[in-house]
Amino acid sequence: MQIYVCVKHVPDTAARITVVGGSGFAETCKFIVNPYDEYAVEEAVQLVKRNGGEVVLVTVGKESAVSSMRSALAMGADRGILVKTDAQFLDSALTAQALKKAIAQDGTADMIFCGRQSIDSEGMQTPFRLAQAFGMAVVTDVVALSVNENQAIAEHDIGGGATEVLQIQLPCVIGANRGLNDPPYPKLPQVLRAKKKEIKQVDIADLGLDLSFPLTEIIKLEAVPERGKAKIFEGSTRESVEQLVKALKEEEKIL
Amino acid sequence: MFKAGIWIETGENGVKEANFGVITAARGHGDAEIHAFVLDGNADAYQDALQSYGVQKIVSLGTDGGDLSSKPDLQAAALAEAVNHFEITAFLGLSSARGRDLLARVAALMDAPLVQDCIGIDLSSQTVSKSHFSGKTVATVKINANPFVCSVRPNTIEAQIAPCQCELIEYRASVQDPGKLAVKEIEKSRTGAVDLTEANIIITGGYPIGAAENYNLLQQCADVLGAAVGASRAAVDAGYAPHSMQIGQTGKTVSPKLYIGCGLSGSVQHFAGMKTSKVIVAINTDAEAPIFEKCDYGIIGDLFEVVPVLTQVLREQKS
């Protein structure tokens, strides 16, 4: 199987974000592989272990994204393609077009994996646009997957405690969610091997895309202030609970 | 005239309550004609509810391609055609699991701009706001083309009544299903459970809950409150709760009016999923827990002692 996995280089979940220049942020914080993309990589690696083939990472990002690509290569992917941009935030429609071009130039995909969303811009749409560009079917938020010769069965949560089971024709795009698998930490030999794996770099300007008209653009980024300290209710359990219920009723008008 | 279209999410109990906030958001334009798109064939049953929030036209959508219910791509194709046919500029819907999926399919088909999980919308200037970096920042996003698609985070825009008379329209889209994707079955694991992402009140248990069956304690309190029950990542990792109950960075994002966290430390990752709740209450034995530094009300105590008393007090005051 020829499997492509789209991987994004994003600020660490625990990183402090400092807004810079009104719509940007200080990119000096620690960056990681987008957590949902790790489930995508692991699923692809396991599929290729069972069926043979190749796992190719595709990243749209700055040159610094190579560090996250190395981490994903250590998880067992074979090689990578970096589509170089000079912005952390690219409109999702453009990202999908860039991913499509890079994949189509490289080979013929049997499956394409993505994370269900990035944790920085939280666009939640690239898998759908990528599928549309290839004329493939797509399912995201996938928590269970089984792949046969020309179809897959995918499960995702649809809220209210319900799970939907879908039948999807290959080739297809799968958006991975937490729960799909449990990626192990790469061991040292895998990390060392990953350093020697090929990462081909392509400049986004050389893909023949019209970058001058993004469908959406970020015009302002603002830090969200934390709430202050909690008002603590004291006394016996009964007393503190009664004070809480009173506050929720009379001050907050919720109950 | 500016036309806004809204995909109406329905369930066993008809129109989901959270839709009314989306309709209210669309009315914010002032001069918008509001169309509601209903896919389940029961549009006439929803007329009273929808017109009381200002929907002027209800479009009951069918297709030449047969039954819509188990075909996500057919639903999207029908909606995309209807958006064009009714000359909709802004197409909105709930940012629920279904809404995010369906609206993304529609936007991809139309090659239209899409912003998911909006927490604020200004249709006149085509700008929206949404969370970035897991709620650490809010981004204002300008939408540069028409028509455009937005999903709205449930409960972030308060519904306001605005009664009007609405017209019922049947529309049959001339679309077929591509035949590449079909829903085989829907498994209900917790029947009757309040949907976390749409709940007005959520009570969440962290790692100290200690066992799956102890969530019953929270469920009893939730039953009195009409609340949904959530879990932290640590509790899910320990096997005390299924992933579908997880709130936070790698779980669900929720925005209830009241969030009661029991035995939560207050990690950045957990707050990523519930930071936009209106009021946050923490119950924790550790007075030094970071959660007390960034929530509204706190009780320092063991959840196993505090929650049953809370349930009791709520019951007493209800009767």
Side-chain angles (χ1 to χ4, degrees), chain A residues 7-45:
Chain A
V7 170
K8 193 174 181 184
H9 179 59
V10 298
D12 191 346
T13 50
R16 177 182 293 274
I17 301 295
T18 310
V19 175
V20 174
S23 63
F25 68 101
E27 294 178 28
T28 45
C29 59
K30 187 186 170 203
F31 276 67
I32 56 168
V33 178
N34 183 47
Y36 295 106
D37 301 351
E38 290 191 343
Y39 305 118
V41 174
E42 172 68 8
E43 198 69 11
V45 166

Side-chain angles (χ1 to χ4, degrees), chain B residues 126-271:
Chain B
Q126 293 202 179
T127 53
V128 296
S129 54
K130 73 169 306 233
S131 150
H132 259 47
F133 300 112
S134 323
K136 289 177 215 166
T137 65
V138 169
T140 306
V141 179
K142 177 92 175 78
I143 298 169
N144 291 329
N146 288 329
F148 61 90
V149 184
C150 295
S151 66
V152 181
R153 184 179 292 183
N155 300 333
T156 49
I157 295 164
E158 195 151 339
Q160 283 162 15
I161 298 249
C164 70
Q165 273 301 316
C166 82
E167 183 189 344
L168 256 172
I169 303 167
E170 296 265 346
Y171 183 75
R172 195 178 174 89
S174 56
V175 290
Q176 298 289 332
D177 187 54
K180 293 176 178 168
L181 177 66
V183 176
K184 283 185 65 184
E185 58 181 311
I186 290 174
E187 291 167 3
K188 276 259 173 200
S189 53
R190 289 177 291 129
T191 43
V194 178
D195 193 311
L196 269 175
T197 53
E198 291 160 35
N200 278 318
I201 302 177
I202 293 173
I203 180 163
T204 293
Y207 184 76
I209 198 88
E213 58 271 23
N214 292 341
Y215 275 99
N216 291 336
L217 200 68
L218 303 191
Q219 188 61 54
Q220 285 160 13
C221 186
D223 289 343
V224 184
L225 286 165
V229 179
S232 71
R233 176 167 181 160
V236 171
D237 283 350
Y240 304 154
H243 177 250
S244 60
M245 277 171 67
Q246 188 189 325
I247 291 165
Q249 179 89 67
T250 47
K252 291 193 165 61
T253 303
V254 297
S255 196
K257 292 196 174 79
L258 174 60
Y259 190 90
I260 305 173
C262 308
L264 299 176
S265 63
S267 72
V268 176
Q269 289 85 350
H270 190 79
F271 265 68

Side-chain angles (χ1 to χ4, degrees), chain B:
Chain B
M1 183 187 280
F2 186 93
K3 292 184 180 174
I6 295 154
W7 164 69
I8 302 294
E9 181 163 8
T10 59
E12 285 158 18
N13 305 319
V15 175
K16 292 200 171 178
E17 196 71 24
N19 287 289
F20 302 129
V22 183
I23 299 170
T24 306
R27 284 208 328 268
H29 183 273
D31 190 30
E33 185 181 69
I34 317 268
H35 291 61
F37 295 102
V38 174
L39 297 175
D40 69 3
N42 297 324
D44 46 349
Y46 310 144
Q47 184 166 358
D48 285 348
L50 293 175
Q51 70 186 4
S52 64
Y53 286 91
V55 170
Q56 285 132 314
K57 289 181 174 161
I58 303 178
V59 180
S60 180
L61 206 52
T63 72
D64 293 343
D67 179 32
L68 284 162
S69 61
S70 63
K71 298 175 183 135
D73 286 328
L74 185 61
Q75 293 179 14
L79 281 166
E81 187 186 297
V83 166
N84 279 328
H85 177 84
F86 291 96
E87 297 173 328
I88 301 296
T89 303
F91 180 57
L92 314 177
L94 274 176
S95 177
S96 56
R98 280 208 183 285
R100 283 194 306 272
D101 184 273
L102 188 55
L103 268 55
R105 289 178 195 278
V106 173
L109 259 182
M110 301 183 75
D111 200 16
L114 165 68
V115 185
Q116 299 265 42
D117 210 25
C118 297
I119 54 175
I121 291 193
D122 181 354
L123 292 181
S124 311
S125 64
Q126 293 202 179
T127 53
V128 296
S129 54
K130 73 169 306 233
S131 150
H132 259 47
F133 300 112
S134 323
K136 289 177 215 166
T137 65
V138 169
T140 306
V141 179
K142 177 92 175 78
I143 298 169
N144 291 329
N146 288 329
F148 61 90
V149 184
C150 295
S151 66
V152 181
R153 184 179 292 183
N155 300 333
T156 49
I157 295 164
E158 195 151 339
Q160 283 162 15
I161 298 249
C164 70
Q165 273 301 316
C166 82
E167 183 189 344
L168 256 172
I169 303 167
E170 296 265 346
Y171 183 75
R172 195 178 174 89
S174 56
V175 290
Q176 298 289 332
D177 187 54
K180 293 176 178 168
L181 177 66
V183 176
K184 283 185 65 184
E185 58 181 311
I186 290 174
E187 291 167 3
K188 276 259 173 200
S189 53
R190 289 177 291 129
T191 43
V194 178
D195 193 311
L196 269 175
T197 53
E198 291 160 35
N200 278 318
I201 302 177
I202 293 173
I203 180 163
T204 293
Y207 184 76
I209 198 88
E213 58 271 23
N214 292 341
Y215 275 99
N216 291 336
L217 200 68
L218 303 191
Q219 188 61 54
Q220 285 160 13
C221 186
D223 289 343
V224 184
L225 286 165
V229 179
S232 71
R233 176 167 181 160
V236 171
D237 283 350
Y240 304 154
H243 177 250
S244 60
M245 277 171 67
Q246 188 189 325
I247 291 165
Q249 179 89 67
T250 47
K252 291 193 165 61
T253 303
V254 297
S255 196
K257 292 196 174 79
L258 174 60
Y259 190 90
I260 305 173
C262 308
L264 299 176
S265 63
S267 72
V268 176
Q269 289 85 350
H270 190 79
F271 265 68
M274 41 63 89
K275 202 175 178 180
T276 53
S277 305
K278 192 164 168 268
V279 174
I280 300 173
V281 174
I283 298 167
N284 196 313
T285 47
D286 179 8
E288 303 297 318
I291 194 164
F292 289 123
E293 299 296 318
K294 51 186 180 183
C295 73
D296 300 293
Y297 300 105
I299 292 178
I300 296 165
D302 189 339
L303 75 93
F304 291 100
E305 284 169 26
V306 178
V307 174
V309 174
L310 177 59
T311 309
Q312 182 61 31
V313 168
L314 289 166
R315 269 198 198 123
E316 287 168 13
Q317 299 201 0
K318 227 180 170 182
S319 56

